[in-house]
Structures are given as structure tokens and as C-alpha cells.
Amino acid sequence: INMDPLFLAWSYFRRRKFQLCADVCSKILEENPFDQDAENTSLASEAAWSLKTRALTETVYIDEVDVDHEGIAEMLDENAIAQVARPGTSLKLPGTSQGGGPTPSVRPMTHAGRPVTGFVRPSTQSGRPGTMEQAIKTPRTGHTARPVTSASGRYVRLGTASMLTSPEGPFLNMSRLNLSKYAQMPNLSKSLFEYIFHNENDIKNATDLAALATEHAQFKDWWWKVQLGKCYYRLGLHREAEKQFKSALSQQEMVDAFLYLAKVYQRLDQPLTALNLFKQGLDRFPGEVTLLTGIARIHEEMNNIASATEYYKEVLKQDNTHVEAIACIGSNHFYTDQPEIALRFYRNRRLLQMGVYNCQLYNNLGLCCFYAQQYDMTLTSFERALSLVANDEELADVWYNLGHVAVGIGDLNLAYQCFKLALANNNDHAEAYNNLAVLELRKGRVEQAKAFLQTASSLAPHMYEPHFNFAALSDKV
Amino acid sequence: MPEVKSMFREVLPKQGQLSMEDVPTMVLCKPKLLPLKSVTLEKLEKMQQETQELVRQQEMALREQMHQEQPG
């Protein structure tokens, strides 16, 4: 007996076998095609069509709250009121430390001149260099490159991915869709919108559909307002996005809408407004983890590490498997000279239970073990980190940290080799250049040390070590 | 051990100036804790990698096709 194909497709969808689901749906659609203009299309083909859009969306779905790719074009900010914001009111002044966090002499900096965090998200990855000049300069090192605009970044590449898989071309032909017709079918329009937004990445058409649909719903459906806001945000129309989210919130308060609205304020560089908004959200949804995390992230970005840690602790009280909170508190303890407490966070069984089993975790464990004087675990952790690396940059970082262990035990030959290995794997590793220079100088090779220091300072102008060392060296000679 | 005590006596200057030379020493860059990755970021990277793989395979297949067509 054959199962009803539509039921089978549903079953695949529920079991998250999206490709299989889409294939079954395609078969159903081949037999009786879905035609939006025809009056006599069967309900089954309509359902299959809708299910296929949903399955294809799920294959490339990523949480829109987390995704934020700021391109160079976005830096030409026409919303800015003042060139130099007052201290404590902007995310773009990395230098103003108010929270009593560790100084750069203890805690390394990212390219943007911020202290490194314990956790990366798509939006923190680009490092947000503060000025245009920095932004244009940093792409020199391949993996920190910033796209010219957010529209040419990851989104597009992922959007075209779906087309490559099917030889008969894309599932839907955007230019031939009659959007106004779909907008009047509430049971189809939502899945179609998500398909256009996530798969096709065709924000213009998605905006059109959302605008038509919200009109059709007589501006009474908060969901369409949130979607419209998302589109406006992607198009860079931040004020319009703000209006939509606010209107959605006045209709129906949802955590999602709070998060999106806060994202708009952060893009507009208004961290204090975003903080207020999060607090409003917390009044409505007490103890909501995503809102608490949002507050902690803003504090961290404003260099207010102490209050960020407070909020991350609050997050852990609500959800003790929260990887971001564990990682951030752990790294904070490490850089405030409490490696044994950091070790407790990283060795936390919950991290492994959450499926965090990667090179980064074992590297951190190794470092914490070494500085907490648990030497038996150190090298095994690093060995495991080395066996888990995914790319050359990670490998370079692990070797670099191993070099520190070698310096710590006084084996300078090993340290030299470790730093050399770091450079062999990532030729842009400025920290390794600097440390090599120090070792070279101990061997009395001044010229070599000078060359390394110069390379380090040109690769990473934000670090103070190469400049300091070069000055000290020049003073001596 | 009393003999040793008589050999090494501590010297505590009671008068005069104590001077100390401040020698600039080289600084090493600090060890780097690697940040853990968020789920979204991991998924993004995985999707990107899969897509790249797919494109490469297709290009290889295309090239092979061209090769086969040329001699024939």
C-alpha cells in the first residue's frame, strides 16, 4: 500500500528531512501543477506548493535576529547627528572603558580595538572597525574582510545556493509571480514571503509582498508588520523599520519584535535607547533570556565588562546551558587573573552536553589548565584541540597558544617552533610575529627582531605590543 | 643551621639612597582564548562550505564534459 504522498511529505517535514520533503512535493506538483490563476486548482496541489516553499525555506533558514552584516556602504551613515558622540552613548567609541574591565595589557584586542569576547556571532565577526579608514584597511587579512555592502555579503551567496541544486532552474520564477494575488491568500502568503526572504533573498519583492499583505489584512496583523520591518531593515531604511516594529508592538507584544526593534536602535548607534527597550521588554516578559542577553551584549560592546558579566550571570540563572553566557563569563575570569574560575566555566559539563565539542573549547581548556597550574590536563587538551581544528586560522591560534605554554615552562626552543608553526599556518598572525621578535632578541639577532616587529605593527596597528617593543629596542641600540 | 646563618647575613641599608634602574623589557602578546561560535554562525559557515563544495563539483563535472566533447 502506498502512503498518500502529501502525508508522506508532511511526515518528512516534521522529521526535518527537508530535501526529501521538497522532492515528494515536486512530484505531486508535476502530476497536477499549481496554477494561481486557474480557478480549478486542487487543494492538494496548493498544499504541496505551500509545503515545498516551507521545506526549502527551512533548509537555508537562519535566525534573522542574529544576522547582521555591516558592509562598508553602511558605514556612510546618514543618520548620525554628531560626528563625535558623548562618552557612554555610542557603540562606536571603543576607547572609553567605564566598567573597570581589564586593560589591553592583559586582555587582547580585536581589530576594532575592542577587548576580545568569549563568543562570536555573525554581527560581531566583522569586528566593526570604527572609522572608514580602518574598514578599508582591514580587508588586507582575508578572513576579516568586510563586504562592500551588506547586500553583497553572505546573503546573496546563500540565496543563489538553492538554484544550483535543481537542474531545472529555480522553484519559483520571481518575475512571473503575481504578488498582489498571493497577498490576498493568507494561507499561502506567509510561507511564500519567508521563501522569498530567506531563499531568494529578493528583498525588494519580499517588501512588495509584505506591503500588499499588510494592506490586505487592514493593518491588523502584527506578523506582517514585523516582516515589513525586517525588509526595511535589510534595505537600510531604519526609521521606517522602527515605525513598523513599534506599530507591531503596540498591537501585540512579542519578544521577537522587541529584539528586532533593539537591533534597529543598535544600528542607529543608540545603545541607551536599545537598553531602555530591553528593560521594557523584560517588564513584559520577566526573565526572558534573549532580552537579558541583548542587554549584556550592549554593555559588552560599550566596554562595560563588569555590568555585562552581571547580566550574563542573570542569564545563567534563567538558563544554565546558555553557551554565550558561559563563554563570556569564562573569558572574563581568565583575563581578570582568575584562570581557575574560568576553568570551572569551560570545563562545565553543560557545554559538552550542548554539543560544543570543538577546537576552541579545548584550546581554552588547555590555556586555563596551564594558568591554573593543572599541568596534567594542559597538553592533552591542546592535543585534542589540534585534532579538532577546522581551518588554518584555528590551527595557527592553537600553535600560538602552545607557544605561550612553552614560554611558561621555559622551553624557548619549543616556543620558537610553536610561533613559527603559527606563522606557517596563518601568515597574518601579528601576535606570533611580535612574540617571535622577542625570542629573536633574546638570541641577540637584532635585525631579525626589528623586521618581525615591523611586520607585526603593520599587520595589526591596534596592538600596542609591537610598537612598545620597537621603541624599547630602538632605545637600547 | 647556625653556620650558614653566620655566612650569609642580610644587608639592610639603614641610610643613604636606594636607587633602582627601570629597564624596559620586551612584552609578549597575551595568550588568546578563542571565542566559541554561535549556532547561527556555525550554520552559516556550514551552508557556505556546502555551497562552495557543490559549485566546485559542478564546475569539475562541466570541465570533464568539455574534455570529453573536445576529442570526439
Side-chain angles (χ1 to χ4, degrees):
Chain A
I1 314 157
N2 275 341
M3 204 188 274
D4 176 43
L6 190 59
F7 185 79
L8 183 65
W10 250 112
S11 165
Y12 278 136
F13 184 78
R14 279 204 308 270
R15 284 180 282 154
R16 300 187 68 77
K17 294 180 177 167
F18 301 117
Q19 201 50 55
L20 287 171
C21 171
D23 291 345
V24 175
C25 288
S26 317
K27 233 176 252 165
I28 301 173
L29 289 173
E30 258 170 43
E31 280 161 19
N32 43 358
F34 171 66
D35 187 356
Q36 53 160 336
D37 294 321
E39 294 297 320
N40 54 352
T41 41
S42 67
L43 278 176
S45 66
E46 197 177 302
W49 186 85
S50 175
L51 189 58
K52 188 176 176 185
T53 51
R54 283 181 64 192
L56 290 177
T57 307
E58 283 290 333
T59 52
V60 293
Y61 180 81
I62 33 172
D63 192 357
E64 181 68 14
V65 176
D66 254 2
V67 178
D68 195 2
H69 227 62
E70 209 172 312
I72 289 178
E74 274 77 28
M75 297 193 69
L76 301 168
D77 186 6
E78 69 269 32
N79 300 306
I81 301 167
Q83 280 297 308
V84 183
R86 283 188 297 160
T89 62
S90 167
L91 295 168
K92 291 186 177 149
L93 290 174
T96 49
S97 172
Q98 339 136 342
T103 60
S105 62
V106 185
R107 188 169 187 154
M109 289 286 195
T110 62
H111 288 269
R114 295 175 185 287
V116 294
T117 67
F119 197 72
V120 274
R121 290 168 285 127
S123 52
T124 50
Q125 208 186 17
S126 57
R128 260 198 222 193
T131 65
M132 197 71 184
E133 193 192 347
Q134 273 176 305
I136 295 170
K137 256 161 80 180
T138 36
R140 269 186 202 155
T141 55
H143 52 283
T144 54
R146 173 188 271 260
V148 176
T149 76
S150 64
S152 68
R154 259 184 186 134
Y155 300 139
V156 175
R157 278 174 270 155
L158 288 173
T160 48
S162 56
M163 289 174 213
L164 292 166
T165 47
S166 54
E168 65 268 19
F171 167 45
L172 295 177
N173 193 340
M174 275 301 111
S175 54
R176 280 168 50 194
L177 279 184
N178 187 353
L179 290 179
S180 55
K181 203 137 194 177
Y182 279 105
Q184 287 162 21
M185 303 189 220
N187 47 349
L188 292 186
S189 52
K190 287 186 179 174
S191 61
L192 176 63
F193 172 83
E194 293 212 307
Y195 177 83
I196 301 177
F197 191 83
H198 288 284
N199 264 50
E200 296 289 329
N201 240 318
D202 188 343
I203 304 301
K204 196 182 146 290
N205 276 324
T207 316
D208 286 346
L209 178 61
L212 288 168
T214 190
E215 209 181 310
H216 181 257
Q218 291 162 346
F219 306 100
K220 278 180 188 155
D221 192 345
W222 63 269
W223 193 86
W224 280 115
K225 290 184 182 169
V226 172
Q227 306 312 315
L228 198 53
K230 271 157 73 174
C231 292
Y232 283 140
Y233 180 83
R234 281 264 192 112
L235 292 172
L237 303 167
H238 301 129
R239 288 297 175 195
E240 280 80 357
E242 182 194 358
K243 231 181 268 166
Q244 294 296 331
F245 289 135
K246 271 191 171 160
S247 156
L249 273 178
S250 65
Q251 217 161 39
Q252 170 88 35
E253 287 185 320
M254 296 293 281
V255 179
D256 247 22
F258 278 115
L259 293 174
Y260 285 125
L261 187 52
K263 201 171 136 184
V264 173
Y265 287 132
Q266 282 176 67
R267 175 57 73 81
L268 290 173
D269 197 17
Q270 297 185 357
L272 298 185
T273 321
L275 278 180
N276 277 336
L277 184 74
F278 278 131
K279 291 201 173 126
Q280 272 174 39
L282 277 177
D283 287 340
R284 195 76 183 74
F285 303 96
E288 170 60 38
V289 170
T290 45
L291 296 175
L292 284 171
T293 319
I295 298 182
R297 283 175 187 170
I298 292 182
H299 280 304
E300 190 172 32
E301 280 200 53
M302 303 226 304
N303 241 345
N304 199 341
I305 305 288
S307 19
T309 313
E310 279 307 306
Y311 276 99
Y312 277 127
K313 280 184 183 156
E314 201 60 40
V315 170
L316 278 188
K317 274 184 203 156
Q318 304 292 338
D319 172 13
N320 55 13
T321 57
H322 201 270
V323 178
E324 176 171 359
I326 294 177
C328 286
I329 298 179
S331 69
N332 192 37
H333 278 300
F334 182 81
Y335 286 118
T336 45
D337 215 13
Q338 295 169 314
E340 52 291 322
I341 300 178
L343 181 60
R344 266 180 40 202
F345 278 95
Y346 280 118
R347 209 168 45 188
N348 198 328
R349 226 176 31 249
R350 296 204 180 87
L351 276 184
L352 286 171
Q353 275 168 359
M354 291 303 287
V356 183
Y357 179 79
N358 51 22
C359 141
Q360 284 89 2
L361 178 66
Y362 279 102
N363 169 74
N364 296 354
L365 264 180
L367 271 184
C368 290
C369 281
F370 182 71
Y371 286 99
Q373 301 179 10
Q374 299 199 4
Y375 301 119
D376 49 338
M377 278 268 286
T378 309
L379 288 182
T380 44
S381 293
F382 276 118
E383 269 170 6
R384 204 172 283 188
L386 282 176
S387 69
L388 286 171
V389 288
N391 54 40
D392 282 353
E393 278 88 38
E394 287 177 11
L395 193 57
D397 280 332
V398 178
W399 278 119
Y400 167 75
N401 286 325
L402 264 171
H404 271 283
V405 174
V407 169
I409 58 175
D411 190 343
L412 293 187
N413 276 328
L414 178 63
Y416 191 83
Q417 281 167 343
C418 286
F419 291 135
K420 277 272 181 190
L421 273 171
L423 286 182
N425 286 299
N426 176 7
N427 208 14
D428 292 325
H429 207 290
E431 291 95 338
Y433 273 116
N434 174 65
N435 290 4
L436 259 186
V438 177
L439 293 182
E440 288 285 6
L441 200 67
R442 281 183 65 98
K443 290 184 182 175
R445 292 196 281 232
V446 180
E447 285 309 311
Q448 188 70 38
K450 257 188 192 169
F452 280 146
L453 286 175
Q454 270 164 345
T455 317
S457 56
S458 72
L459 279 176
H462 60 277
M463 292 195 317
Y464 81 96
E465 287 95 345
H467 299 291
F468 178 85
N469 286 342
F470 198 74
L473 178 64
S474 311
D475 182 45
K476 233 183 243 173
V477 175
Chain B
M1 287 181 283
E3 299 96 345
V4 178
K5 231 177 202 171
S6 66
M7 274 171 69
F8 299 102
R9 277 193 307 116
E10 59 179 347
V11 180
L12 284 175
K14 293 265 168 15
Q15 51 185 343
Q17 281 179 334
L18 180 68
S19 70
M20 214 174 70
E21 196 184 357
D22 190 15
V23 187
T25 50
M26 299 291 156
V27 282
L28 289 172
C29 283
K30 304 302 165 287
K32 226 160 83 177
L33 281 185
L34 299 182
L36 303 181
K37 283 180 186 168
S38 76
V39 179
T40 313
L41 189 60
E42 268 181 18
K43 190 167 175 188
L44 264 175
E45 286 185 352
K46 207 177 117 213
M47 285 200 299
Q48 229 167 357
Q49 221 168 13
E50 277 169 5
T51 314
Q52 268 172 354
E53 192 62 25
L54 203 74
V55 172
R56 232 195 38 211
Q57 272 175 6
Q58 278 183 346
E59 274 177 0
M60 291 271 276
L62 208 70
R63 211 169 291 160
E64 240 165 60
Q65 232 176 16
M66 300 259 277
H67 262 290
Q68 277 173 351
E69 275 168 17
Q70 257 175 1

